[in-house]
Amino acid sequence: MESALDLILVVVVVTAAGGAARRWNRSMPLMLLLIGWAGSFLPRFDDFHLDPDIVLVGLLPPLLYAAAVRTSLIDFRSKLPVIGSLSVGLVIATTLGVGAVAAWLLPISAAAALAIGAVVAPPDAVAATTIARRVGLPRRVVTVLEGESLLNDATALVCLTAATTAIEGHITAMEITRDFAISVVGGLGVGLLVALVIAKVQAHVADTVTLTAISLVTPFAAYLLAEEIHASGVLAVVIAGLILGHKADLLQSAPARLFAQSNWSTITFLLEGVVFLLIGLEIRPIVSAVGSSDLSATRIGLGALGVFAAVVVIRFAWVFATAAMLRLRDDPEALTPRETTVVSWAGMRGVVTLAAAFVLPAATPERDVLILIALVVPAGTLVIEGTTLPLL
């Protein structure tokens, strides 16, 4: 009964916060983080600990799938050079750059520094594209932001896996390369296979409710199957979503598509809110744990500020360099200087960063400090970048 009451309470809080955020034109993720933090002082949530698998396995696949289904495969392919540079190159550059800054400012190992770099590397899809659509940015800018956020999670999680393996033992460059190849190739293969199977099933189903139920199962099927063969579940979900979204008009009737879109909009809204609310409940225990660290508050603050600055600066440098290279090649899809500036500033962190922070092994040096930094970066980007992006 208590679990049922908690579930109802979470849904009510997320719904109320969403309505208030829209009414007052505020950031719903940030509002829910604050509500969660306030709720953590209630005796009922004294022993609350968020299992990262709840987010990475239970909540992330449907969120990615919903975003992938809405993304135009044709537009995605046309922007692939830019999207690939941001979702792979920029994530790796951010992991290395932030890792170097963290190792310089904090007494942690290189592996732990790279781990926090991988945690804060991937921007959040929803935060940027929601604002982009609201202020009427060009479609191709929205496509770049959507495409980047669909693929960068896979790259970041592969980097994080390599870093955490190094923390717990030893891993070579050859093993990292092999694991990355297996992750990418396996994820692509599983995504294509799941899309093919689901498409065959949908072609023989006419019932609207049944089609929607199938779509709800699809992201979990793709994710779990890929993870079973040690491939990228994130990439499998994205590939399946892109293909099925592209073929939706051939596989489903218009009423079925509208019904599914309506259901997915509600599900996405609730899941995103639940993630930020649950992580908000973790803020107080993390801050309390950091209080027992041997590091001074000044050093921890400098570490958080340094990591945040590195995240912003590296993104600016990489996005402008990518745009300049494409313009030198006379690529018609190269972003203009104005579009490049907006894309550079649209680097808000969100769900994956917050969840991945809790994946850091217990043996990680200064783990609580690193988790606190991982909470500061999304909050900082949501407050500073998120609130100023419409004006920019």
Side-chain angles (χ1 to χ4, degrees):
M1 180 63 73
E2 288 186 358
S3 297
L5 291 174
D6 288 342
L7 180 60
I8 294 172
L9 179 62
V10 166
V11 173
V12 169
V13 170
V14 170
T15 304
R22 289 191 178 91
R23 181 181 180 87
W24 299 329
N25 196 26
R26 295 291 183 267
S27 169
M28 188 181 85
L30 186 60
M31 185 179 293
L32 285 168
L33 280 176
L34 293 174
I35 293 173
W37 170 74
S40 67
F41 289 93
L42 298 175
R44 186 178 186 83
F45 301 108
D46 275 343
D47 298 324
F48 177 79
H49 293 288
L50 178 63
D51 184 348
D53 285 341
I54 292 177
V55 177
L56 295 177
V57 180
L59 304 180
L60 183 59
L63 288 173
L64 285 173
Y65 182 79
V69 168
R70 294 196 308 267
T71 302
S72 167
L73 183 59
I74 296 174
D75 290 344
F76 182 89
R77 290 172 58 185
S78 69
K79 304 294 185 301
L80 198 55
V82 180
I83 292 172
S85 174
L86 299 182
S87 60
V88 179
L90 177 55
V91 169
I92 294 174
T94 303
T95 299
L96 297 174
V98 169
V101 171
W104 175 49
L105 294 173
L106 300 169
I108 56 178
S109 64
L114 291 175
I116 189 60
V119 166
V120 302
D124 181 52
V126 179
T129 53
T130 299
I131 296 173
R133 286 197 178 96
R134 191 171 72 230
V135 301
L137 284 177
R139 174 62 198 171
R140 66 196 208 127
V141 174
V142 178
T143 299
V144 168
L145 294 175
E146 286 178 337
E148 174 197 6
S149 58
L150 288 175
L151 298 181
N152 61 16
D153 294 340
T155 307
L157 291 176
V158 170
C159 293
L160 178 59
T161 300
T164 53
T165 303
I167 291 172
E168 297 176 323
H170 178 69
I171 187 169
T172 64
M174 183 63 71
E175 289 173 329
I176 293 175
T177 304
R178 181 200 64 197
D179 291 345
F180 186 80
I182 292 174
S183 181
V184 172
V185 174
L188 288 171
V190 170
L192 289 170
L193 176 63
V194 170
L196 178 63
V197 172
I198 296 298
K200 292 289 186 182
V201 173
Q202 287 181 337
H204 293 86
V205 176
D207 179 60
T208 299
V209 175
T210 303
L211 285 170
T212 302
I214 292 172
S215 72
L216 295 177
V217 174
T218 301
F220 297 104
Y223 187 92
L224 295 175
L225 181 58
E227 291 294 323
E228 188 67 25
I229 63 171
H230 304 291
S232 172
V234 168
L235 188 57
V237 171
V238 170
I239 296 301
L242 284 171
I243 294 173
L244 291 171
H246 182 64
K247 297 292 185 181
D249 57 338
L250 300 177
L251 300 172
Q252 303 176 37
S253 64
R257 294 199 304 275
L258 290 173
F259 185 75
Q261 289 171 6
S262 176
N263 280 277
W264 271 110
S265 295
T266 303
I267 292 169
T268 301
F269 165 76
L270 290 174
L271 292 185
E272 289 166 0
V274 167
V275 171
F276 286 101
L277 182 63
L278 294 182
I279 291 175
L281 291 171
E282 282 276 11
I283 294 177
R284 187 175 66 87
I286 292 298
V287 173
S288 299
V290 169
S292 62
S293 172
D294 294 332
L295 299 181
S296 66
T298 300
R299 191 162 190 182
I300 294 173
L302 286 175
L305 182 61
V307 167
F308 175 80
V311 165
V312 175
V313 171
I314 292 170
R315 181 174 179 85
F316 257 90
W318 189 276
V319 174
F320 271 91
T322 299
M325 290 176 60
L326 291 177
R327 283 197 293 270
L328 285 174
R329 290 164 41 188
D330 293 325
D331 191 323
E333 298 299 335
L335 298 176
T336 66
R338 288 184 176 186
E339 292 170 340
T340 304
T341 302
V342 172
V343 172
S344 299
W345 195 241
M348 287 81 79
R349 269 55 180 177
V351 172
V352 174
T353 291
L354 293 169
F358 295 96
V359 177
L360 295 174
T364 305
E366 301 294 345
R367 181 178 185 270
D368 293 322
V369 173
L370 296 181
I371 293 178
L372 178 63
I373 291 174
L375 294 175
V376 168
V377 171
T381 55
L382 287 170
V383 171
I384 298 174
E385 296 181 340
T387 57
T388 57
L389 185 59
L391 178 62
L392 179 66

